[in-house]
Amino acid sequence: MLTNLHVKNLVLIDEAEVEFGPGLNILTGETGAGKSILIGSINAALGKKISREMIRTGETSALVELVFETENPHVLELLKEMDLEAEEGQVIISRKITGSRSVCRINGEACNISQVKALASLLLDIHGQHEHQSLLYPDRQIAILDAFAGTEAATAKGEVRALYQEWKNVRKELSAYELDEEARKREAAFLTFEINEIDQAELKEGEDEALETAYRKMGHAKKIAESLQTVYAITGYGAENSAGEQVGRAIRELQQAAVYDDALSGPSQTLSDIDGLLNDFNREISAYLSELTFSEEKRLDEINRLKAKYGKTMEEIAAYREEQQKKLEKLENFESCRAALQEQLQKTEQKLDAAAHNLSKIRRNYAKRLETQIIEGLRDLNFLHVAFEISFEKTKSYTENGTDAVEFLISTNPGEAIRPLAKVVSGGELSRIMLAIKTILADRDETETLIFDEIDTGISGRTAQKVSEKMAQIGQRHQVICITHLPQIAAMADSHFEIEKNVEENETVTSIHPLSEEDSVRELARMLGGAKITDSVLANASEMKELAQVQKSARLK
C-alpha cells in the first residue's frame, strides 16, 4: 500500500507530507483548496507528462516521492528484472522536476519513465474522470470481463496470443511468395549475382585487417625510409666514418696485435662477433627498405567495395551471403516451399480458431455471472430498475484477443430499450457503474492501492449513502484513497485528511494534514452546513459519523 506521500514546491504546495493508513483514506477540503494537486502530484511521480509551470513560483525544481509497502510477488519479480531490490517490501518512487528535465528514481536508482509506469501499474490504480470515460470503450469492457474470468481466461488468452503471433508470422512469410514467374526469375538472377560476386572475391578471415594495417603503415613510408637510410648510413659499410668501417678497421688492428700476444685473441673474437651482428642488422634494414612498398591496394579496394554493399565486416558479408543463399533456395524450390507454408498456415489457423473458440466459451460463461453481479451492485447503488447485458459479436478477423467483440448494454429506466452504455448513461451514472464493477473485481484485483477521484460526480442523498457503503466495502480488501465532497462518503473514513489553502506572507499555500476524530466531525459539519457551523449541524455530523461506523461494523463484516 501507499504509506507516504512527500511533495515539495509543486504548484501551491510549499512542502507537504502525508502518511496514509490501511482501509479507506478520505481527503476533503473547500472548493479550490487544491484537492486536484494531490492526484496531480501522484500522477507526476508515476510518469505522467508534467509542465514546468507546475513548479512553484520562485523555485527552480519540484519533488514528489511515494513510499509503498508491498507483498505483491509480481512487483518483487519486476523489481528483480530491473536489477532493483525492495528491502522488506519497501518501494520508493521519486521524481524531481526542473525547468529543463526530470529525473525518476526507484529505490534510489535512476530509471526511465517506462520503468516507473510498468511498476506503478502493479502498485496502484488511479481512478478519475478519464477512467470513468474509458468504460465506454469496447477494449476496456472486454478487459473487465477477462479480469472477472481470472486465471481461466488469462491462460486461454495467453494461448490465443501465442498462436495469433505464429499465424501472423506465417502469413507474413507466405506473402513473400506472391510473385509471378518473371518477378521470381529477376529476383533469382539478382541473388545469384550477389552470391557469385562474394564467392569470386575468395575472402579470407582476417585478410581485411592485415591489409588495413599494411596500408596504414604505408601512409608513413617516407618517414620510415628516411630514418632507416640514416641508420644504415651510420651503421653500414662504405662510408668512411660508419660504424661498420670503424669496426672493420679495429678488427684488423687487433688481429695484428694478437700475433704478438695470445691474450688478445679473446677480445679479437668478441669484436669479430660484433662485426657479424652489425652485418646481420644491416642486411635486415636493407631487406625492410627493399620491401617498403604496398602492392595490395587493388585488393583492399575490392574488399572495401564489398563491405559497402554487403556488410561492415567480413563476418557480416559472410552472413549476408548465407541469407541470400537461403532466399535463392526458396525461389528454386518455390512451389514446394509455398505449399509447405500454406499447410503450416492452415494448421496454425485451425489451432488458433480452436483456442479462440475456447476463450469465447470461457468469456460467455463468466459473462452471465458478471451480468448478475453488476445488476445486484447497481441496485445497491440506487439503480432501482436496471437491466444489464454483455453482448458478443464475432470479429471480422483474428486478433490477439481472439474473435470476440464485447459490448456492455444497459437500461436504467422501466420500459426503456437496452442500448450500448455510451448511448445511455450520464457522467454520474457512469461513475457508479464503474464503482460497482470495481467492487466486484476487488476480490480478484491484486493491486493493493485504489485511488478514486470524482467518484461522487452528480450524486447525492440516498445514492451517496449507497456509494459510501461500496467504498467502505472495497476498503476492506484494498487500501482506498478517495477525494470527495460528500459527507456521507467522508463519514466512512478510516483515516480522514483535510486539504486547506491559506495565504502566508502574501503567498498562497496548500497544506494537507490528518484529522482527529473531533476534527473529522467538524469537517463533516462544514460539508453539511457550509460556512456557518451550528450546534445542530455538529450534532448531525457526529451522528452521521457514528452511524457510518455502525454500518461498517455490521454490514461489512
Side-chain angles (χ1 to χ4, degrees), residues 74-86:
H74 299 301
V75 172
L76 303 179
E77 185 179 336
L78 182 57
L79 285 171
K80 190 175 181 180
E81 289 175 12
M82 295 177 181
D83 291 327
L84 297 170
E85 292 184 3

Side-chain angles (χ1 to χ4, degrees), residues 425-473:
V425 297
S426 64
E429 289 173 326
L430 197 58
S431 66
R432 280 187 284 160
I433 294 168
M434 183 61 95
L435 181 58
I437 291 169
K438 285 285 182 184
T439 307
I440 293 164
L441 296 180
D443 288 338
R444 302 165 187 267
D445 194 349
E446 293 183 353
T447 307
E448 296 172 62
T449 299
L450 303 177
I451 299 179
F452 290 96
D453 184 23
E454 300 183 22
I455 196 70
D456 49 19
T457 301
I459 61 173
S460 59
R462 178 157 179 75
T463 302
Q465 182 60 38
K466 293 288 188 180
V467 169
S468 72
E469 292 171 9
K470 286 289 181 188
M471 295 291 288
Q473 186 178 342

